[in-house]
Amino acid sequence: MKRKLIAAIGIAGMVVTVAACGGSDSGSSDNSGADAKELTVWLTVDAQNNWPQLVKAADAAVQKKHPGVKINHEYYGWPDKNTKLDAVLATDKAPDVVEMGNTEMLGYMVKGAFAPLDTSKFTNSSAWLDGLKASVSYDGKTYGVPYYAGGRVGNWRKDVFASVGVKSTPKTYAELTAALDKVQKKEGDKFSAWYQPTRDWYAAMSFVYDAGGSIAVDSGGQWKANLSSPESVKGLTEFKNVIDKYMHGDKTKDESDRYIVYGQGKSGMIFGAAWEGATSADPKNDKTGKLKDNLENFVMPGPSGKNMPVFLGGSDLAVPVKSKAQALAAEWINAFTGPSGQKGLMAKGNLPNNKTDLATLKNDPATAVPATAAESNWFVPMAPGWGQVEKAQVLQTMLQNIGTGKKSVEAAAKEADAAIDKVINTK
């Protein structure tokens, strides 16, 4: 389950610049390797360990249509995948299909490392989830196919909230804050009614987008930072209110060990990746002995009165521009991410890549919460310099300054905008 968080974090730092070769979208012409006899597919160990049968099914579908085609698979862990990819992209031995964390895509698209794809070749492409579609789109073209997603939800301890008379999860933000106020009053300042790491920009930006703001806006092909707009400031101010009222832990931390801190029993609620609650309740993380069967996910309500828009993490599949089998690669990706593949991925606890399948999960009580939460989603600005913004940790610095009271919301947002504007349009 931890894989979902890893897949959602960080844009690759250094990306090999690859000269684009050929102007055809993958799968659209014979000169893109439609008659190739061999295909090399790079996936992460998630597929190898958790759904190998889906990989075999995609292989079989392609080989049925192209008898004699040899399909090679290589599997990599998240920490070392991009280092190996960067090295091989500098050679003529690039893989034909490669799995990417969705926030890793942008740096490679900017550098021309991936071939453009014809979306008409992929089933359900018209229904891809908005945040996932954004992750594979750059400069008016599509360079990848969403594979699966992982969303964010609220999670609270039923015993803690029941102790103050709250027995059902909140449907509105007013209900949520009223319940949190009761818990905080009862437990005191050494307890976090809501453990919300200050530097968690995924959560903070959900407040920003909920308020109608954004990180940056595209104006005529030029990106402009937007955190100091009235709408964004409103969202950041509400986030600060949460930190001030309910977060009594270290206000300089990020979210990387949130599930561990939650398992220590000094907090009543978190807002994070859907897997985090269950991981906190794992015996090796649960220091209270009380979390098993005592944690409950819920769709996070937003101050706007709507469901909180959430960041969608997950994976995409791309075709390196140096692939000699681009058309065949596109066929394999479609076989792997098509209807049967999505059904198999959902059975393994993943969110699908499209709204049609997501709607079916909403009707199942076991999956209704993460599926409903994922309907409202956002993604990072697909600007050429966004990777530099992440690398410089501009948002984290802003949020820490706000959360610790070092700077006002307005001053911190203005400073962040200036830092973003310096690099966001730079390739």
Side-chain angles (χ1 to χ4, degrees), residues 285-419:
N285 295 320
D286 180 9
K287 305 305 180 184
T288 71
K290 300 177 181 179
L291 299 186
K292 185 179 180 182
D293 302 322
N294 194 31
L295 297 181
E296 187 172 14
N297 282 339
F298 58 92
V299 178
M300 188 71 182
S304 69
K306 301 178 181 179
N307 291 342
M308 187 81 85
V310 299
F311 177 84
L312 287 182
S315 282
D316 299 324
L317 297 172
V319 179
V321 73
K322 286 191 172 184
S323 164
K324 299 178 178 64
Q326 293 180 21
L328 194 62
E331 288 188 39
W332 190 92
I333 291 173
N334 189 48
F336 190 50
T337 62
S340 60
Q342 291 300 305
K343 183 177 180 180
L345 288 166
M346 289 189 292
K348 293 294 184 177
N350 300 290
L351 293 177
N353 67 3
N354 67 89
K355 299 171 185 176
T356 305
D357 287 324
L358 191 71
T360 67
L361 292 182
K362 287 179 61 182
N363 297 323
D364 183 345
T367 54
V369 167
T372 301
E375 284 188 308
S376 178
N377 54 78
W378 62 273
F379 200 66
V380 300
M382 297 303 283
W386 177 251
Q388 296 183 57
V389 177
E390 279 205 30
K391 186 177 181 181
Q393 299 193 353
V394 174
L395 298 182
Q396 293 94 322
T397 299
M398 174 190 71
L399 293 171
Q400 184 170 324
N401 285 337
I402 290 172
T404 59
K406 184 177 180 180
K407 294 185 178 179
S408 68
V409 171
E410 291 81 3
K414 186 176 181 180
E415 181 180 76
D417 275 355

Side-chain angles (χ1 to χ4, degrees), residues 72-339:
N72 308 303
H73 294 282
E74 295 183 27
Y75 296 93
Y76 295 93
W78 285 106
D80 58 351
K81 172 182 65 70
N82 288 350
T83 299
K84 295 179 183 295
L85 180 61
D86 291 347
V88 78
L89 287 180
T91 73
D92 61 354
K93 300 184 182 301
D96 304 297
V97 177
V98 61
E99 177 180 351
M100 304 293 296
N102 62 354
T103 61
E104 297 172 342
M105 284 289 296
L106 181 57
Y108 288 84
M109 293 190 293
V110 169
K111 297 296 184 181
F114 297 144
L117 303 176
D118 179 355
T119 56
S120 70
K121 303 292 183 181
F122 302 97
T123 310
N124 280 332
S125 61
S126 62
W128 285 344
L129 297 177
D130 295 339
L132 299 185
K133 182 178 180 180
S135 76
V136 298
S137 305
Y138 179 70
D139 200 22
K141 294 185 178 182
T142 299
Y143 290 92
V145 175
Y147 171 11
Y148 67 88
R152 281 165 168 73
V153 297
N155 181 284
W156 72 11
R157 286 181 55 175
K158 291 185 286 185
D159 59 340
V160 169
F161 285 86
S163 72
V164 295
V166 180
K167 298 182 179 180
S168 59
T169 53
K171 299 298 184 290
T172 68
Y173 195 69
E175 289 180 6
L176 173 62
T177 55
L180 288 165
D181 288 342
K182 292 178 181 179
V183 168
Q184 197 63 68
K185 182 178 179 180
K186 177 178 182 292
E187 298 293 339
D189 289 346
K190 292 186 178 180
F191 187 88
S192 294
W194 176 349
Y195 179 75
Q196 179 52 63
T198 308
R199 292 171 65 87
D200 176 11
W201 64 276
Y202 297 108
M205 293 305 106
S206 286
F207 280 90
V208 166
Y209 282 92
D210 179 69
S214 59
I215 300 171
V217 292
D218 183 1
S219 178
Q222 286 290 302
W223 286 85
K224 178 72 175 175
N226 194 48
L227 292 168
S228 58
S229 70
E231 296 83 1
S232 295
V233 167
K234 181 180 179 181
L236 289 170
T237 299
E238 190 58 53
F239 182 73
K240 175 177 168 55
N241 290 340
V242 169
I243 300 297
D244 289 347
K245 293 180 69 175
Y246 310 123
M247 169 60 177
H248 296 280
D250 183 349
K251 294 186 179 181
T252 66
K253 293 194 67 171
D254 64 17
E255 72 282 5
S256 59
D257 66 346
R258 173 170 44 211
Y259 68 97
I260 295 174
V261 175
Y262 195 32
Q264 293 171 351
K266 295 182 180 180
S267 50
M269 171 194 153
I270 59 173
F271 171 40
W275 57 264
E276 290 187 58
T279 306
S280 298
D282 187 296
K284 65 176 177 288
N285 295 320
D286 180 9
K287 305 305 180 184
T288 71
K290 300 177 181 179
L291 299 186
K292 185 179 180 182
D293 302 322
N294 194 31
L295 297 181
E296 187 172 14
N297 282 339
F298 58 92
V299 178
M300 188 71 182
S304 69
K306 301 178 181 179
N307 291 342
M308 187 81 85
V310 299
F311 177 84
L312 287 182
S315 282
D316 299 324
L317 297 172
V319 179
V321 73
K322 286 191 172 184
S323 164
K324 299 178 178 64
Q326 293 180 21
L328 194 62
E331 288 188 39
W332 190 92
I333 291 173
N334 189 48
F336 190 50
T337 62

